[in-house]
Amino acid sequence: MVLAAGISLLAIAPTQVLAAAADDATADMAMADDAAPGNQITDIVVTAERREVGLQDAPIAVSAISNESLKESNVTDITGLNGLVPGLVVAKSGGAERIISIRGIGSETPENTNTQPGVSYHVDGVYIFNSIAANAAFVDVAQVEVLRGPQGTMFGQGSTGGTINVATRQPELNEISGNARVGLGNYSLVQAEAGANLPISDTLAVRVAGQHQSHDGYAKTTDVVNFGEWELDDANETAWKAAAKWAPTDNFSITLNTIQYSSDTHGQAQKNVFDPNPDPRELTQDFPGQSVVDTELYYGTMALDMGFATLKSITSYQKLHSEQSWDADGLTADLFYDLSYSPDSFTGVRYDHVGTWQSDTESWTQEVNLTSNGNGPLSWIAGAVYLESKNSQYIVEYRGDDDNLLRPPLPLTTAFDDPVLSSVTYAELSSIKRKAWAAYFQGTYEMTDALSLTAGIRYNHDKYDGESATNSDTADYTSGVYLQPESVDGYSTSEWTGKLALEYKFTPANMVYASFTRGFKPGGINSASAGGNSYSILPTYKPETVNSFEIGSKNRFAGNTLQLNASAFYYDYSNMQFLEEDPIPYGEGTSNAPKAEIYGLELEGSWVINDYFRFDGSVAFLDGEFTEDYFALDPAEATKAQNEAGYADYLIWLDENFFPGIMARDGARMNINGNSVPKIPDVQGTAALTYNNYLFGGDFTARAQLIYRGEYQYRLFNNSEFDVTPSYEQFNLFFGYEPEGSALKFSATVTNLFDEDGVNSRFSDPYGSAQTMETYIAPRQFIFAIGFDF
């Protein structure tokens, strides 16, 4: 058994965390037990299910990671959480996308950015619409909360897998405070951050914070045309946050926030599994990747305490602009030509590149809720939320047999008379709008001092419409035909979800719970299929639902020095949305796998051994499989069948080859019944041992951490050659020193001490090349930092 670091449960040392940033943003930093001695475990207050509650009192599987723990593990964005929370997998996909899964439920449709994720991502309770935006840096974070399992009632966007909420620091009245930190490391790493809280008057305060991170690439391509070597996995990102709180009376407050993020890099390293160079950090590719991501988030909360209840209004507006390009074949032109050549049909294909993948998302949300006050046996919350989002995409993929490896210009609205554009094999220009609303109610009734019943219900309604054009609408690129979007028929889905839970406390420190929760993810539109460019992919796809049955227990023993939590669950999973190939090339889209079962056991624990040593750990054992027949088409198998039948590449588009060619591709379908559900490591966990003592005239901390992520299947096809993502182990060290009587803090961090080439994920390109790429965790990193708080 591999145990996991309990930083997913508690701060390593008694640190203060944000109590309720997602609600009225009072930002009173408080622990549930401020008076606890230093050799006892102190609880954390979380905003689980929209109410302030001690983590040990919440009858759900929830983890909270403090800002201090994020720093000690060098976690700067969502990818860094991989392995730190039971059942959580953050897998890299094409471009800057991140696929977040909890207990095997996440998003299997990364190239369809109109689909909603299975794990909803929030900042201070505000839903973040685009999966690329979720990769933005953590800015001025107080703590990160991870709710495992379907959230079927209260969050702005319901989910089938779970919810991640990043709680940021908020302005505090009547207190001047600040912080700063600078870190330097190998790969020319520079980390800098600063923040300040400034009370303007007794009723008004502001908080500002900013940060920057940059480092050289962890990997490089070796044969980029006109460049030679080209760094990848580099960083160059800047973010800042500003907030203001006005509380003119004791019962009314307004809090406004904005978070701005900008990143401009060469993109991530994606190494073709057929790359002849065995060095995982060297890629034999010929096209320069690029990744530009800019996000803007504005949100505000108004709170009015009416005595019996508190009325809150939460409004947000957000924008995303993303430009991605990468070497889609993952090889040089000659190597890809050799790989594409078939003895039965000469294709002449020498490269396949995603020249441009531009996404622009503009969204806003409005939520109003009413939360009960008082100490009676019944506590409740009722609310409604409205979400509106417009997602525009412009995609150009091209291939050919010349050496003119350039990016197509933006926008693609002129004739295809450029030698590169004449080789376009896929193009999309689409704009899809989503409008959704939901109403919910949840209440908890204390039947006795020990026994409580919770019940909640929610009605969800989603509608999609918009316009789309793909390469099927432009037939002959060389004739100067333009991309001309056409209207896409509207599509709407509705669903009831909810929760029922029973909690029993044997003692104030020991309790058990059992729950049933129904989660829902809306269906949507396949833009390519809606444009008539598919044979079997339907114009729309169904919603997916999860019926979750869970039992759990949370416990403290031995005078608050030992904590052990456990949860076991079973999921009845229906209509899982996933990316599937179409027999007509470039007609890919989202389909539904009809039935699956997922089950698992999770353990989390902390032990304060004595005044100096503390152990934290967690472990998850998970499994899942599909339980109903469905014959799915894998892009790799479809391409293989097409080539073997003698219709490779452009030959399939000849009139006499078209029908037999797509029939050859269609014949490569395989039954997924019995296959493993993707993104489920069989075993996953971390373990950490912390030493703290007064040494050398100050507070000295040393911490050793082990992270283990087991093997998993990346896609539901369970292709033995392409989908098996191997396990890895990562070992981290942290040393901290705070001189007595000084505001300064010194630290040294080593992540991936043994320089493990762990495979984060395998990405199989569903478009064009059908190649499979491996992405890796960061190599060994040394970071030396100095900071101060006042």
Side-chain angles (χ1 to χ4, degrees), residues 566-587:
S567 58
F569 67 91
Y570 168 82
Y571 288 169
D572 176 19
Y573 194 8
S574 298
N575 291 322
M576 186 192 85
Q577 298 167 7
F578 74 100
L579 271 185
E580 185 177 15
E581 181 76 349
D582 190 82
I584 298 179
Y586 314 117

PDB file of all heavy atoms in Angstrom, residues 566-587:
ATOM      1  N   ALA A 566     -12.452   7.783   5.931  1.00  0.00           N
ATOM      2  CA  ALA A 566     -12.601   6.753   4.906  1.00  0.00           C
ATOM      3  C   ALA A 566     -13.893   6.993   4.142  1.00  0.00           C
ATOM      4  O   ALA A 566     -14.880   7.489   4.690  1.00  0.00           O
ATOM      5  CB  ALA A 566     -12.609   5.365   5.537  1.00  0.00           C
ATOM      6  N   SER A 567     -13.878   6.645   2.866  1.00  0.00           N
ATOM      7  CA  SER A 567     -15.095   6.707   2.053  1.00  0.00           C
ATOM      8  C   SER A 567     -15.054   5.584   1.030  1.00  0.00           C
ATOM      9  O   SER A 567     -13.999   5.265   0.472  1.00  0.00           O
ATOM     10  CB  SER A 567     -15.218   8.057   1.346  1.00  0.00           C
ATOM     11  OG  SER A 567     -14.097   8.316   0.531  1.00  0.00           O
ATOM     12  N   ALA A 568     -16.209   4.975   0.799  1.00  0.00           N
ATOM     13  CA  ALA A 568     -16.364   3.940  -0.217  1.00  0.00           C
ATOM     14  C   ALA A 568     -17.568   4.315  -1.070  1.00  0.00           C
ATOM     15  O   ALA A 568     -18.570   4.818  -0.561  1.00  0.00           O
ATOM     16  CB  ALA A 568     -16.567   2.568   0.423  1.00  0.00           C
ATOM     17  N   PHE A 569     -17.475   4.081  -2.377  1.00  0.00           N
ATOM     18  CA  PHE A 569     -18.540   4.545  -3.258  1.00  0.00           C
ATOM     19  C   PHE A 569     -18.772   3.568  -4.396  1.00  0.00           C
ATOM     20  O   PHE A 569     -17.922   2.747  -4.743  1.00  0.00           O
ATOM     21  CB  PHE A 569     -18.185   5.921  -3.844  1.00  0.00           C
ATOM     22  CG  PHE A 569     -17.007   5.896  -4.783  1.00  0.00           C
ATOM     23  CD1 PHE A 569     -17.189   5.709  -6.154  1.00  0.00           C
ATOM     24  CD2 PHE A 569     -15.713   6.021  -4.313  1.00  0.00           C
ATOM     25  CE1 PHE A 569     -16.111   5.659  -7.015  1.00  0.00           C
ATOM     26  CE2 PHE A 569     -14.628   5.986  -5.173  1.00  0.00           C
ATOM     27  CZ  PHE A 569     -14.829   5.802  -6.522  1.00  0.00           C
ATOM     28  N   TYR A 570     -19.968   3.691  -4.976  1.00  0.00           N
ATOM     29  CA  TYR A 570     -20.346   2.957  -6.185  1.00  0.00           C
ATOM     30  C   TYR A 570     -21.090   3.916  -7.103  1.00  0.00           C
ATOM     31  O   TYR A 570     -22.003   4.626  -6.657  1.00  0.00           O
ATOM     32  CB  TYR A 570     -21.238   1.756  -5.845  1.00  0.00           C
ATOM     33  CG  TYR A 570     -21.888   1.133  -7.069  1.00  0.00           C
ATOM     34  CD1 TYR A 570     -21.187   0.234  -7.864  1.00  0.00           C
ATOM     35  CD2 TYR A 570     -23.189   1.473  -7.437  1.00  0.00           C
ATOM     36  CE1 TYR A 570     -21.773  -0.329  -8.995  1.00  0.00           C
ATOM     37  CE2 TYR A 570     -23.782   0.909  -8.563  1.00  0.00           C
ATOM     38  CZ  TYR A 570     -23.068   0.017  -9.337  1.00  0.00           C
ATOM     39  OH  TYR A 570     -23.648  -0.531 -10.452  1.00  0.00           O
ATOM     40  N   TYR A 571     -20.678   3.963  -8.388  1.00  0.00           N
ATOM     41  CA  TYR A 571     -21.312   4.841  -9.372  1.00  0.00           C
ATOM     42  C   TYR A 571     -22.033   4.007 -10.430  1.00  0.00           C
ATOM     43  O   TYR A 571     -21.451   3.078 -11.005  1.00  0.00           O
ATOM     44  CB  TYR A 571     -20.278   5.699 -10.108  1.00  0.00           C
ATOM     45  CG  TYR A 571     -19.649   6.806  -9.325  1.00  0.00           C
ATOM     46  CD1 TYR A 571     -18.538   7.487  -9.832  1.00  0.00           C
ATOM     47  CD2 TYR A 571     -20.127   7.204  -8.072  1.00  0.00           C
ATOM     48  CE1 TYR A 571     -17.937   8.517  -9.141  1.00  0.00           C
ATOM     49  CE2 TYR A 571     -19.530   8.222  -7.363  1.00  0.00           C
ATOM     50  CZ  TYR A 571     -18.427   8.883  -7.898  1.00  0.00           C
ATOM     51  OH  TYR A 571     -17.832   9.906  -7.208  1.00  0.00           O
ATOM     52  N   ASP A 572     -23.270   4.385 -10.698  1.00  0.00           N
ATOM     53  CA  ASP A 572     -24.006   3.903 -11.863  1.00  0.00           C
ATOM     54  C   ASP A 572     -23.936   5.028 -12.902  1.00  0.00           C
ATOM     55  O   ASP A 572     -24.595   6.055 -12.767  1.00  0.00           O
ATOM     56  CB  ASP A 572     -25.451   3.602 -11.475  1.00  0.00           C
ATOM     57  CG  ASP A 572     -26.300   3.197 -12.666  1.00  0.00           C
ATOM     58  OD1 ASP A 572     -25.727   2.799 -13.690  1.00  0.00           O
ATOM     59  OD2 ASP A 572     -27.536   3.310 -12.582  1.00  0.00           O
ATOM     60  N   TYR A 573     -23.119   4.823 -13.936  1.00  0.00           N
ATOM     61  CA  TYR A 573     -22.726   5.881 -14.867  1.00  0.00           C
ATOM     62  C   TYR A 573     -23.407   5.627 -16.212  1.00  0.00           C
ATOM     63  O   TYR A 573     -23.264   4.560 -16.800  1.00  0.00           O
ATOM     64  CB  TYR A 573     -21.205   5.828 -15.001  1.00  0.00           C
ATOM     65  CG  TYR A 573     -20.527   7.015 -15.640  1.00  0.00           C
ATOM     66  CD1 TYR A 573     -21.202   8.189 -15.960  1.00  0.00           C
ATOM     67  CD2 TYR A 573     -19.161   6.949 -15.925  1.00  0.00           C
ATOM     68  CE1 TYR A 573     -20.549   9.252 -16.533  1.00  0.00           C
ATOM     69  CE2 TYR A 573     -18.488   8.020 -16.503  1.00  0.00           C
ATOM     70  CZ  TYR A 573     -19.193   9.165 -16.811  1.00  0.00           C
ATOM     71  OH  TYR A 573     -18.540  10.227 -17.382  1.00  0.00           O
ATOM     72  N   SER A 574     -24.142   6.635 -16.728  1.00  0.00           N
ATOM     73  CA  SER A 574     -24.890   6.460 -17.972  1.00  0.00           C
ATOM     74  C   SER A 574     -24.500   7.524 -18.994  1.00  0.00           C
ATOM     75  O   SER A 574     -24.335   8.703 -18.654  1.00  0.00           O
ATOM     76  CB  SER A 574     -26.404   6.557 -17.710  1.00  0.00           C
ATOM     77  OG  SER A 574     -26.834   5.545 -16.832  1.00  0.00           O
ATOM     78  N   ASN A 575     -24.360   7.083 -20.247  1.00  0.00           N
ATOM     79  CA  ASN A 575     -24.149   7.964 -21.400  1.00  0.00           C
ATOM     80  C   ASN A 575     -22.897   8.828 -21.278  1.00  0.00           C
ATOM     81  O   ASN A 575     -22.924  10.037 -21.537  1.00  0.00           O
ATOM     82  CB  ASN A 575     -25.377   8.853 -21.637  1.00  0.00           C
ATOM     83  CG  ASN A 575     -26.579   8.069 -22.115  1.00  0.00           C
ATOM     84  OD1 ASN A 575     -26.448   7.137 -22.907  1.00  0.00           O
ATOM     85  ND2 ASN A 575     -27.747   8.428 -21.611  1.00  0.00           N
ATOM     86  N   MET A 576     -21.783   8.218 -20.901  1.00  0.00           N
ATOM     87  CA  MET A 576     -20.537   8.964 -20.810  1.00  0.00           C
ATOM     88  C   MET A 576     -20.180   9.567 -22.162  1.00  0.00           C
ATOM     89  O   MET A 576     -20.126   8.881 -23.181  1.00  0.00           O
ATOM     90  CB  MET A 576     -19.390   8.068 -20.348  1.00  0.00           C
ATOM     91  CG  MET A 576     -18.101   8.838 -20.089  1.00  0.00           C
ATOM     92  SD  MET A 576     -16.659   7.790 -19.864  1.00  0.00           S
ATOM     93  CE  MET A 576     -16.190   7.540 -21.573  1.00  0.00           C
ATOM     94  N   GLN A 577     -19.953  10.876 -22.188  1.00  0.00           N
ATOM     95  CA  GLN A 577     -19.586  11.577 -23.417  1.00  0.00           C
ATOM     96  C   GLN A 577     -18.108  11.341 -23.716  1.00  0.00           C
ATOM     97  O   GLN A 577     -17.260  11.497 -22.843  1.00  0.00           O
ATOM     98  CB  GLN A 577     -19.878  13.067 -23.264  1.00  0.00           C
ATOM     99  CG  GLN A 577     -21.354  13.375 -23.036  1.00  0.00           C
ATOM    100  CD  GLN A 577     -21.604  14.789 -22.571  1.00  0.00           C
ATOM    101  OE1 GLN A 577     -20.687  15.613 -22.536  1.00  0.00           O
ATOM    102  NE2 GLN A 577     -22.840  15.092 -22.178  1.00  0.00           N
ATOM    103  N   PHE A 578     -17.807  10.981 -24.973  1.00  0.00           N
ATOM    104  CA  PHE A 578     -16.420  10.743 -25.355  1.00  0.00           C
ATOM    105  C   PHE A 578     -16.232  11.091 -26.826  1.00  0.00           C
ATOM    106  O   PHE A 578     -17.186  11.148 -27.604  1.00  0.00           O
ATOM    107  CB  PHE A 578     -16.013   9.286 -25.097  1.00  0.00           C
ATOM    108  CG  PHE A 578     -16.599   8.294 -26.077  1.00  0.00           C
ATOM    109  CD1 PHE A 578     -15.829   7.808 -27.133  1.00  0.00           C
ATOM    110  CD2 PHE A 578     -17.902   7.847 -25.950  1.00  0.00           C
ATOM    111  CE1 PHE A 578     -16.357   6.895 -28.038  1.00  0.00           C
ATOM    112  CE2 PHE A 578     -18.443   6.948 -26.845  1.00  0.00           C
ATOM    113  CZ  PHE A 578     -17.675   6.462 -27.895  1.00  0.00           C
ATOM    114  N   LEU A 579     -14.980  11.339 -27.224  1.00  0.00           N
ATOM    115  CA  LEU A 579     -14.656  11.640 -28.618  1.00  0.00           C
ATOM    116  C   LEU A 579     -14.545  10.351 -29.415  1.00  0.00           C
ATOM    117  O   LEU A 579     -13.794   9.440 -29.055  1.00  0.00           O
ATOM    118  CB  LEU A 579     -13.336  12.407 -28.708  1.00  0.00           C
ATOM    119  CG  LEU A 579     -13.401  13.931 -28.624  1.00  0.00           C
ATOM    120  CD1 LEU A 579     -12.013  14.507 -28.850  1.00  0.00           C
ATOM    121  CD2 LEU A 579     -14.379  14.511 -29.622  1.00  0.00           C
ATOM    122  N   GLU A 580     -15.279  10.301 -30.529  1.00  0.00           N
ATOM    123  CA  GLU A 580     -15.274   9.108 -31.374  1.00  0.00           C
ATOM    124  C   GLU A 580     -14.983   9.501 -32.820  1.00  0.00           C
ATOM    125  O   GLU A 580     -15.366  10.581 -33.280  1.00  0.00           O
ATOM    126  CB  GLU A 580     -16.624   8.392 -31.298  1.00  0.00           C
ATOM    127  CG  GLU A 580     -16.644   7.082 -32.053  1.00  0.00           C
ATOM    128  CD  GLU A 580     -17.970   6.346 -31.902  1.00  0.00           C
ATOM    129  OE1 GLU A 580     -18.952   6.964 -31.453  1.00  0.00           O
ATOM    130  OE2 GLU A 580     -18.017   5.163 -32.252  1.00  0.00           O
ATOM    131  N   GLU A 581     -14.306   8.614 -33.532  1.00  0.00           N
ATOM    132  CA  GLU A 581     -14.026   8.819 -34.946  1.00  0.00           C
ATOM    133  C   GLU A 581     -15.280   8.545 -35.768  1.00  0.00           C
ATOM    134  O   GLU A 581     -16.151   7.754 -35.378  1.00  0.00           O
ATOM    135  CB  GLU A 581     -12.891   7.887 -35.373  1.00  0.00           C
ATOM    136  CG  GLU A 581     -12.473   8.008 -36.817  1.00  0.00           C
ATOM    137  CD  GLU A 581     -11.648   9.252 -37.075  1.00  0.00           C
ATOM    138  OE1 GLU A 581     -11.561  10.127 -36.182  1.00  0.00           O
ATOM    139  OE2 GLU A 581     -11.091   9.365 -38.176  1.00  0.00           O
ATOM    140  N   ASP A 582     -15.366   9.194 -36.907  1.00  0.00           N
ATOM    141  CA  ASP A 582     -16.425   8.922 -37.876  1.00  0.00           C
ATOM    142  C   ASP A 582     -15.826   8.209 -39.074  1.00  0.00           C
ATOM    143  O   ASP A 582     -14.654   8.438 -39.411  1.00  0.00           O
ATOM    144  CB  ASP A 582     -17.082  10.228 -38.323  1.00  0.00           C
ATOM    145  CG  ASP A 582     -18.342   9.991 -39.133  1.00  0.00           C
ATOM    146  OD1 ASP A 582     -19.398   9.770 -38.510  1.00  0.00           O
ATOM    147  OD2 ASP A 582     -18.266  10.007 -40.371  1.00  0.00           O
ATOM    148  N   PRO A 583     -16.575   7.326 -39.737  1.00  0.00           N
ATOM    149  CA  PRO A 583     -16.025   6.687 -40.936  1.00  0.00           C
ATOM    150  C   PRO A 583     -15.602   7.693 -42.008  1.00  0.00           C
ATOM    151  O   PRO A 583     -14.676   7.430 -42.766  1.00  0.00           O
ATOM    152  CB  PRO A 583     -17.181   5.813 -41.417  1.00  0.00           C
ATOM    153  CG  PRO A 583     -17.942   5.497 -40.169  1.00  0.00           C
ATOM    154  CD  PRO A 583     -17.858   6.735 -39.333  1.00  0.00           C
ATOM    155  N   ILE A 584     -16.266   8.861 -42.086  1.00  0.00           N
ATOM    156  CA  ILE A 584     -15.823   9.915 -42.993  1.00  0.00           C
ATOM    157  C   ILE A 584     -14.711  10.691 -42.292  1.00  0.00           C
ATOM    158  O   ILE A 584     -14.925  11.224 -41.201  1.00  0.00           O
ATOM    159  CB  ILE A 584     -16.981  10.862 -43.362  1.00  0.00           C
ATOM    160  CG1 ILE A 584     -18.086  10.107 -44.094  1.00  0.00           C
ATOM    161  CG2 ILE A 584     -16.477  12.014 -44.236  1.00  0.00           C
ATOM    162  CD1 ILE A 584     -19.268  10.967 -44.470  1.00  0.00           C
ATOM    163  N   PRO A 585     -13.524  10.768 -42.864  1.00  0.00           N
ATOM    164  CA  PRO A 585     -12.431  11.497 -42.203  1.00  0.00           C
ATOM    165  C   PRO A 585     -12.839  12.936 -41.870  1.00  0.00           C
ATOM    166  O   PRO A 585     -13.538  13.594 -42.634  1.00  0.00           O
ATOM    167  CB  PRO A 585     -11.303  11.462 -43.246  1.00  0.00           C
ATOM    168  CG  PRO A 585     -11.591  10.240 -44.067  1.00  0.00           C
ATOM    169  CD  PRO A 585     -13.087  10.146 -44.133  1.00  0.00           C
ATOM    170  N   TYR A 586     -12.406  13.385 -40.715  1.00  0.00           N
ATOM    171  CA  TYR A 586     -12.646  14.732 -40.191  1.00  0.00           C
ATOM    172  C   TYR A 586     -14.111  14.963 -39.798  1.00  0.00           C
ATOM    173  O   TYR A 586     -14.527  16.102 -39.623  1.00  0.00           O
ATOM    174  CB  TYR A 586     -12.195  15.808 -41.196  1.00  0.00           C
ATOM    175  CG  TYR A 586     -10.841  15.521 -41.772  1.00  0.00           C
ATOM    176  CD1 TYR A 586     -10.687  15.281 -43.135  1.00  0.00           C
ATOM    177  CD2 TYR A 586      -9.719  15.453 -40.958  1.00  0.00           C
ATOM    178  CE1 TYR A 586      -9.447  14.979 -43.672  1.00  0.00           C
ATOM    179  CE2 TYR A 586      -8.476  15.160 -41.478  1.00  0.00           C
ATOM    180  CZ  TYR A 586      -8.337  14.920 -42.840  1.00  0.00           C
ATOM    181  OH  TYR A 586      -7.115  14.623 -43.358  1.00  0.00           O
ATOM    182  N   GLY A 587     -14.862  13.893 -39.653  1.00  0.00           N
ATOM    183  CA  GLY A 587     -16.236  14.030 -39.172  1.00  0.00           C
ATOM    184  C   GLY A 587     -16.365  13.639 -37.714  1.00  0.00           C
ATOM    185  O   GLY A 587     -17.451  13.326 -37.235  1.00  0.00           O
TER     186      GLY A 587
END
